[in-house]
Amino acid sequence: MTSKAELLRELRIDRNAAPPPRRRWLWISLAALGGLLLLALVAATLSGGSPREVRVAPVVSGADAGPASVLDASGYVVARRMATVSAKITGRVREVLIEEGMQVEEGQVMATLDPVDADAQRSLAAAQLAAARTQVANVQAQLTEAEANARRLQSLVGQQLVSQAQYDQAVAQRDSLRAQLNAARRQVDVAADQLEIADIGVDNTIVRAPFDGVVIAKAAQPGEIVSPLSAGGGFTRTGIGTVVDMDSLEIEVDVGEAYIGRVSPGMPVEASLNAYPDWKIPAEVIAIVPAADRGKATVKVRIALKEKDPRIVPDMGASVSFLEQPRQPGDGETPGLRIPAEAVAERDGGDVAFTVDADGRV
């Protein structure tokens, strides 16, 4: 029993005993190393250490910055002068002289129609005019003879060599020929007018450009029938081509009724095309169309482009920003600074911004 009790006492852990010398020195070494690291960090902080990279954003003075946008909208480029050119008469196309993208000038021939009927009508009118002039010459010759005969009989009547009846008959013949001459001359005038109308008919077979512009569509080909009125069957063309005046391009946008009060005529606008989003085009409001769209609850606004460029074409999508009116000198307002939104931070429930001094410290 004694031996077993002694063995159990040997297995008991003495918690009051001091730790082995080797483990105590290990903890002392770790604590010293941590203290040295902490001192090195504090020293590096106090001495400036390596600078932390700070991203700097430019600040623009309110006096130098452009006007701010008060409203953004989207719309399309439209042309105020665009025409589908057609012939004034119904006829067969003989020649088409235009292609898409072609520049045309006012009065330039775009197409010609078959002039057979018009030429025949003109030839007939010219022949009628020539016949009327011949009739005038014939009556004029007869009138000259009748006037001479009446003068001769007048002298003979005074001498009682001819009867008064013969003289009266000669006078009546003279007056009748004078009336026929006047009628023949009016026939000449009518025939001349008919010839002019026939010339217009011939000219109507030539289709000309109504104004300077660019052809954006070619609608007819040689051999097709064109007419100013639709035949309804689908085989008759109503136009030769479509011409657009590129100098009349503008932008139309729909502005919601709730925001139309922010827009006014003459207001500066900055426009950009969807095809060229980085290209900012100066513009201004032409007019606010005095009619609202009940279905969309919008009002149409016309915007004039201050720059002309071949890249601007009709029906292009565009985005516009309506800019606030520039301040006039002496309006009593002090211009401020404009900074990017990402440069504003929140501290203690308020918005603050940090600046960088000459030494590069924030």
Side-chain angles (χ1 to χ4, degrees):
M1 294 294 295
T2 304
S3 60
K4 292 182 178 180
E6 292 177 353
L7 290 174
L8 290 174
R9 283 194 299 271
E10 292 178 357
L11 295 175
R12 183 181 301 169
I13 298 175
D14 188 1
R15 299 186 180 279
N16 296 324
R22 180 176 299 177
R23 296 185 62 185
R24 183 174 67 250
W25 283 106
L26 178 60
W27 286 106
I28 294 174
S29 300
L30 291 176
L33 180 59
L36 291 176
L37 291 176
L38 181 60
L39 292 175
L41 180 61
V42 173
T45 303
L46 295 177
S47 61
S50 60
R52 183 178 179 181
E53 182 180 359
V54 176
R55 186 163 55 92
V56 180
V59 176
V60 181
S61 171
D64 299 331
S69 173
V70 298
L71 181 65
D72 295 332
S74 60
Y76 295 92
V77 178
V78 298
R80 301 302 299 179
R81 295 183 70 190
M82 181 173 65
T84 299
V85 184
S86 179
K88 294 177 63 176
I89 61 174
T90 301
R92 186 183 302 275
V93 179
R94 183 177 67 174
E95 187 178 15
V96 179
L97 304 175
I98 60 171
E99 294 293 341
E100 289 86 348
M102 179 179 175
Q103 294 275 351
V104 294
E105 298 179 355
E106 182 179 357
Q108 180 177 338
V109 177
M110 299 177 59
T112 58
L113 305 183
D114 190 351
V116 174
D117 296 340
D119 288 345
Q121 190 69 28
R122 187 189 182 283
S123 299
L124 177 61
Q128 291 175 344
L129 177 60
R133 288 174 176 171
T134 302
Q135 182 67 20
V136 168
N138 185 25
V139 175
Q140 180 68 52
Q142 295 179 18
L143 177 60
T144 301
E145 182 182 0
E147 288 177 345
N149 189 31
R151 287 194 300 269
R152 183 171 60 254
L153 292 177
Q154 182 179 10
S155 63
L156 294 176
V157 162
Q159 300 174 9
Q160 295 183 354
L161 297 177
V162 296
S163 64
Q164 184 68 32
Q166 289 178 331
Y167 172 71
D168 293 340
Q169 185 179 3
V171 172
Q173 180 70 19
R174 180 198 63 186
D175 294 342
S176 176
L177 289 173
R178 285 178 177 177
Q180 292 180 25
L181 179 60
N182 292 332
R185 287 173 176 172
R186 286 195 293 269
Q187 288 295 331
V188 169
D189 295 337
V190 172
D193 293 339
Q194 290 178 346
L195 180 60
E196 291 181 1
I197 295 174
D199 289 336
I200 294 174
V202 174
D203 187 70
N204 288 338
T205 62
I206 302 175
V207 182
R208 294 181 173 86
F211 48 78
D212 297 347
V214 177
V215 179
I216 64 172
K218 178 182 177 182
Q221 297 292 340
E224 293 183 321
I225 300 296
V226 295
S227 174
L229 301 177
S230 176
F235 298 103
T236 301
R237 300 288 185 180
T238 56
I240 298 295
T242 302
V243 180
V244 173
D245 182 4
M246 291 301 179
D247 291 335
S248 69
L249 295 181
E250 62 184 38
I251 297 177
E252 287 185 356
V253 298
D254 292 330
V255 178
E257 293 179 355
Y259 307 102
I260 194 63
R262 304 182 185 179
V263 182
S264 60
M267 189 176 189
V269 176
E270 186 178 69
S272 63
L273 302 176
N274 295 345
Y276 309 98
D278 297 332
W279 179 26
K280 305 302 180 183
I281 308 173
E284 67 177 2
V285 176
I286 300 176
I288 301 173
V289 179
D293 190 321
R294 182 184 303 178
K296 298 187 295 184
T298 58
V299 178
K300 184 177 295 184
V301 178
R302 295 175 52 202
I303 299 173
L305 297 169
K306 294 186 176 181
E307 289 184 4
K308 307 298 180 182
D309 194 279
R311 291 175 291 179
I312 306 175
V313 297
D315 296 331
M316 264 190 170
S319 299
V320 299
S321 296
F322 296 94
L323 307 179
E324 63 183 3
Q325 296 287 353
R327 295 189 180 95
Q328 300 297 330
D331 57 2
E333 296 186 10
T334 303
L337 297 177
R338 289 189 177 179
I339 63 175
E342 58 269 17
V344 180
E346 185 176 354
R347 295 292 188 274
D348 299 330
D351 294 334
V352 298
F354 295 94
T355 62
V356 180
D357 59 14
D359 296 334
R361 292 180 300 179
V362 177

